[in-house]
Amino acid sequence: MSAVSTIPAPTANTARPGLTLAQRVAAVPGLGRADLRTADAAAMSATLLELWAAMTNRPAQELAAGETHPDGTARISSQVAVWLIGRVSQAYGRRKLVNLSRVRDLESLRSLGGLTGLLRSVINADSEGTLV
């Protein structure tokens, strides 16, 4: 079962041709440490979708409507997952939130729902002081 069964309606983030990647990423809501610590699955998924849209400079709605993973959420490539993990880690204030060699379920790197669950579990562990 997916950590996110449905993805909330994306915000009005549309392609922004005049902005750099850094500017598009800076405009993504929910990328503060406090926001990430308190984000539920829907909020985390929405933030990841907006980050993905910023990365590709495509509308979030278009990405959300694309290919679906068997868990029911948007399919992402492993490279996109790694980039998203890096941006979330940076926003959270840790150099490395996820040690990729320790990810047990590699399918979690192939869907928006899987990545949402992975990042939420790591951030929750950090909040509780159990992250190694």
Side-chain angles (χ1 to χ4, degrees):
M1 181 84 168
S2 163
V4 180
S5 58
T6 59
I7 297 174
T11 61
N13 183 14
T14 59
R16 299 174 181 169
L19 300 179
T20 66
L21 175 60
Q23 290 168 323
R24 292 190 311 264
V25 168
V28 172
L31 271 182
R33 183 181 180 93
D35 296 323
L36 293 167
R37 279 189 129 164
T38 59
D40 61 9
M44 178 68 76
S45 183
T47 298
L48 291 173
L49 182 60
E50 292 294 336
L51 267 175
W52 185 21
M55 179 188 92
T56 60
N57 202 19
R58 293 170 52 195
Q61 298 88 340
E62 180 182 315
L63 296 171
E67 187 177 356
T68 303
H69 186 271
D71 71 4
T73 64
R75 178 180 295 283
I76 59 175
S77 70
S78 296
Q79 294 91 341
V80 168
V82 169
W83 187 87
L84 292 171
I85 289 168
R87 293 294 177 226
V88 169
S89 296
Q90 184 179 19
Y92 190 73
R94 288 186 60 116
R95 187 167 107 16
K96 193 175 191 181
L97 259 176
V98 176
N99 183 338
L100 293 172
S101 66
R102 291 186 169 179
V103 174
R104 291 185 181 137
D105 180 14
L106 294 180
E107 275 303 302
S108 66
L109 300 176
R110 296 185 181 109
S111 74
L112 198 60
L115 187 58
T116 295
L118 175 65
L119 286 170
R120 287 192 68 233
S121 68
V122 170
I123 290 171
N124 286 341
D126 182 65
S127 297
E128 296 167 1
T130 58
L131 184 65
V132 181

